[in-house]
Amino acid sequence: MQKDAWLRQIIILKRELQNFSGGYLLLEFAIPRMGKRADAILLLRETVFVLEFKVGSTTYDQAGKDQVLDYALDLKNFHAGSHHARICPVLIATQAPAHHNAVYVSSDLVYDAQFGNEYQIAELLRQSEAATGSQLDVKTWLQAGYHPTPTIIEAAQALYKGHQVADISRSDAGAENLVVTGACIAAIIEQSKQRSQKSICFVTGVPGAGKTLAGLNIATERTKVDAQEHAVFLSGNGPLVDVLREALARDSVQEARQWGRRLDKKQALSEVRSFIQNIHHFRDEALRTSAPPIEKVTVFDEAQRAWTAQQATKFMQQKRGQADFAMSEPEFLVSVMDRHTDWCTIVCLIGGGQEINTGEAGLSEWLRAFQEQFQAWHIYYSRRIQTDKNYLPDSASLTALQALNAKPLDALHLAVSVRFFRAEKLAAFVQAVLDADKAEAQHLYETCLRDVYPLRLTRQLATAKSWLQQQARGSERYGLVASSGAHRLKPLGLNIKHKVDASVWFLNGREDVRSSYYLEDVATEFDIQGLELDWVGVAWDADLWLHQDQWEFRKFKGTKWQNCNSPESRRYLLNAYRVLLTRARQGMILFVPEGNAADPTRLPVWYDSTYRFLLDIGIIEIL
């Protein structure tokens, strides 16, 4: 069938292109980030045409429209040779009725998708081709760098299929430390193996730097090196695990169908579980036996979220019947790996300022475990831990780190965001906002964000929803998020107490009312941490509001707001907003309600001051 389709495409292209002079045709052009190939790329003058054929099709279906537009957007965003070119996506349903197209080019020079049957191609090319301008040089265009930044879902799918991280991630000099970090960890693992020693690596990174991607890559690469190492990726982030597993299983089923094989969804999920595991299942299995685990290399994602001794002991006693359990989660997890008599390596992926729930210990608890025992272990850590307050917020923890036999390595910090391919300084901007540092936020917005990262502000929920829908093209995903403490958004129709099904919210299509696309169900920091969308609407409630140039921290209890007095509670709330404000790959709108003077739980003053602060930073307001 594929061969017949290719032959038909060639016949059609010979006929439709015979009256065009110059230009170049490239067949089966690889789109690395998506792991797919465009049927044809046609370079005519300054225009790049992406041609997607549906041989024998009688309709222009939505999936085909999204597919060809996605290819065009991928070239625009990630292919250096196409950044300044006109890009026109064309869907060709060979047997469909003729279609009348209105030609519209957006500000980034990407056309709306054009549709036609096999006899309309020449006509579509003439009306969309740039009338002036020199011909794109095909050799230069082909050799231009391709710097994809996949979503974590796309990355997991590609790695699971056997692709290398270098094939699916940015390869420019600014982001090459993703590969450097992987090589550094691989060297530590090999050294541990050769010298029969036990090692732990603490890897840090700015939000969106690819820590989870690095962890998934380590797990897959080590399995290739030696299947007997049984490397595993572990995460305590339930929604992340659910979404990645579901995405991989769906992808496996679809791929099997394309090859004429039948793969049951349950079987696919079973196979995926060996690749991505929930850390709590790993912990519970270790409780059932004193034998060392089968894994020699374990990657703990979001290790800062492991529980304190108090939280772990309470859970183990009440939920697991372990009356004599008296360890923190980091201490127990290290003790499990310490059962190995020869060697092992733990890789801890640490997000600075990412602890968002009661009992999450942060990096300090991991250090305490090595301070009190496991002195024979070799410790390697990112030097950023010493200088960034988001990793070790108190001097006692810093002193503990310096007292350990630990080696700092610059290669263990991922400094460049691969999530925010439009604006690498977004994380720094968010930090300035959460520091209530108006001057620094203004500076970063004006110099690094305004022209490259769409950021908007509104007081109307309907406006926020409309803006998100207008920005997204192709299959770009958008959704609404709010903090888990945003209880007084409920009168506006945003009920954070309604639990979303993360795998459905993140993966299902526009036709599903439960998906993020419908903008009805709002995800909280617990649902979205570690994941991302292309466009995000952040709903800002009165749990965090600005008063006299300082943030006020509150929680809603019963029928009224109460102040958060403990430093820990304040840190969790600030981190919740940090997570929410760093989820959007391409752009974001902040929705701050107007409040209601008649409702004592939604007084306008709590919202007005926050809105003015964001407006004074320079964020563009839309009414």
Side-chain angles (χ1 to χ4, degrees), residues 38-284:
D39 289 334
I41 299 288
L42 181 64
L43 306 183
L44 282 177
R45 293 187 185 272
E46 293 180 321
T47 307
V48 178
F49 289 94
V50 184
L51 308 180
E52 187 61 25
F53 284 84
K54 302 299 177 186
V55 175
S57 178
T58 60
T59 60
Y60 306 105
D61 63 277
Q62 187 62 47
K65 296 174 186 177
D66 287 344
Q67 181 184 7
V68 71
L69 186 51
D70 285 347
Y71 289 164
L73 292 169
D74 208 80
L75 287 172
K76 171 60 66 171
N77 290 328
F78 307 121
H79 181 247
S82 302
H83 284 338
H84 304 294
R86 291 173 175 265
I87 304 181
C88 182
V90 181
L91 176 64
I92 302 157
T94 59
Q95 304 300 312
H99 187 274
H100 175 70
N101 293 278
V103 180
Y104 174 76
V105 187
S106 64
S107 58
D108 61 359
L109 300 182
V110 176
Y111 289 70
D112 275 355
Q114 305 289 293
F115 316 122
N117 60 32
E118 65 173 270
Y119 298 103
Q120 286 188 274
I121 298 174
E123 171 195 338
L124 288 170
L125 298 180
R126 287 194 189 94
Q127 69 182 31
S128 301
E129 178 191 6
T132 58
S134 58
Q135 174 64 46
L136 286 165
D137 182 86
V138 67
K139 186 174 181 180
T140 302
W141 190 86
L142 282 170
Q143 292 177 346
Y146 189 93
H147 310 309
T149 61
T151 67
I152 191 58
I153 293 171
E154 291 168 337
Q157 289 170 332
L159 291 172
Y160 191 58
K161 290 176 180 176
H163 293 280
Q164 304 288 319
V165 71
D167 298 333
I168 61 170
S169 184
R170 286 170 52 182
S171 56
D172 51 305
E176 67 181 10
N177 66 336
L178 189 59
V179 175
V180 171
T181 299
C184 177
I185 294 169
I188 291 170
I189 293 172
E190 283 300 322
Q191 179 177 293
S192 302
K193 192 174 181 179
Q194 297 301 322
R195 298 181 183 178
S196 291
Q197 63 190 32
K198 296 167 184 175
S199 306
I200 187 166
C201 308
F202 293 106
V203 180
T204 61
V206 298
K211 295 184 292 297
T212 301
L213 172 56
L216 288 168
N217 186 58
I218 292 161
T220 52
E221 286 299 306
R222 295 315 301 178
T223 301
K224 292 175 190 174
V225 170
D226 185 352
Q228 298 307 307
E229 289 181 5
H230 296 285
V232 66
F233 178 88
L234 301 169
S235 177
N237 183 339
L240 175 69
V241 172
D242 291 344
V243 170
L244 291 184
R245 281 180 173 175
E246 179 69 17
L248 294 180
R250 290 186 188 185
D251 199 45
S252 295
V253 170
Q254 183 179 1
E255 187 175 25
R257 188 182 298 125
Q258 289 173 349
W259 289 98
R261 294 187 290 109
R262 174 169 163 67
L263 178 63
D264 183 75
K265 174 81 170 295
K266 289 184 179 178
Q267 181 186 344
L269 279 169
S270 178
E271 293 172 359
V272 165
R273 286 192 182 98
S274 63
F275 180 55
I276 298 173
Q277 293 185 28
N278 192 303
I279 198 170
H280 302 309
H281 297 162
F282 176 84
R283 176 201 64 202
D284 292 348

Side-chain angles (χ1 to χ4, degrees), residues 398-426:
L398 195 57
T399 302
L401 173 65
Q402 294 166 344
L404 290 169
N405 180 24
K407 182 177 181 180
L409 295 172
D410 291 332
L412 294 181
H413 179 66
L414 294 164
V416 179
S417 171
V418 293
R419 175 185 298 149
F420 316 122
F421 57 86
R422 284 187 169 181
E424 292 174 353
K425 293 294 185 182
L426 180 65

